[in-house]
Amino acid sequence: MRPATVVAHVRPASSSEPPRKVIFQVPHPDPLLARLLRDECSEHLIKQSADITFGPTWTESGPKSDLVMRGTLVITRRGPGTVTITDVGGTTHYIATPSTRPLGTLSAGAQRLEVPLQLTPGACTGHAFAEAKKAFLFPVRASVDGGTERVVIVTPPKPLQDRLITYAHRACGTP
């Protein structure tokens, strides 16, 4: 990595003058940029071997006092290697509870693996619902061929996100 510069063209919203160029120097080495690069490269390594997505079928189950959403993560072969899913982390909104650990392994000859997963609300406050910036960025820990465990961020598709919000309101008893 080399030193970086951020260039922005800004102008006040109420002004008709042309934008002004502003330059921000990013310190080098920068720990945040180094971490972001490492995380992005790690995610890419896993994605070369397999896609990890939320399965299409999610259902509510349990009594109202202990309502959960049950579904699967689907791991689909893209390239060579044995892909092991070791954990799924929660988000600002949801607690992810896998059935077993490790969650499952997509062996070298297999094309698809479904891993059972359960989601429950992590917080039921109005503030939590209002601050849902990262509610659907689930960190999935995986490795290829027994190598270093890496994190892949998996996001449910928009229709499932909408269902999860409705479910969370129902489970939390909020409007």
Side-chain angles (χ1 to χ4, degrees):
M1 292 194 317
R2 298 184 312 224
T5 303
V6 176
V7 178
H9 299 273
V10 297
R11 118 174 123 219
S14 61
S15 173
S16 61
E17 54 187 84
R20 183 171 54 106
K21 183 178 181 179
V22 180
I23 299 173
F24 302 94
Q25 297 295 326
V26 178
H28 181 72
D30 181 60
L32 175 60
L33 287 179
R35 182 177 58 84
L36 291 173
L37 179 63
R38 183 185 66 243
D39 291 351
E40 193 171 304
C41 289
S42 292
E43 186 170 18
H44 177 73
L45 291 172
I46 299 296
K47 287 181 173 182
Q48 286 181 314
S49 293
D51 281 325
I52 305 170
T53 59
F54 277 77
T57 305
W58 284 79
T59 56
E60 291 183 24
S61 65
K64 184 166 173 95
S65 61
D66 196 23
L67 196 59
V68 300
M69 282 291 274
R70 296 183 196 279
T72 59
L73 279 182
V74 177
I75 297 83
T76 308
R77 170 82 46 218
R78 290 190 77 193
T82 297
V83 180
T84 300
I85 307 298
T86 56
D87 199 12
V88 178
T91 69
T92 57
H93 262 55
Y94 300 96
I95 297 167
T97 308
S99 300
T100 60
R101 295 203 196 293
L103 301 181
T105 298
L106 181 66
S107 62
Q111 292 302 308
R112 179 181 164 100
L113 171 69
E114 291 192 17
V115 175
L117 187 63
Q118 168 180 299
L119 301 177
T120 53
C124 288
T125 65
H127 178 77
F129 280 100
E131 292 294 323
K133 296 174 193 83
K134 294 187 175 186
F136 300 108
L137 303 179
F138 290 87
V140 176
R141 295 190 174 282
S143 64
V144 176
D145 292 331
T148 303
E149 188 176 88
R150 303 175 187 283
V151 175
V152 176
I153 301 300
V154 180
T155 305
K158 180 73 168 108
L160 179 54
Q161 291 179 24
D162 294 342
R163 286 191 58 220
L164 287 170
I165 289 172
T166 300
Y167 149 74
H169 280 293
R170 192 169 22 265
C172 290
T174 58

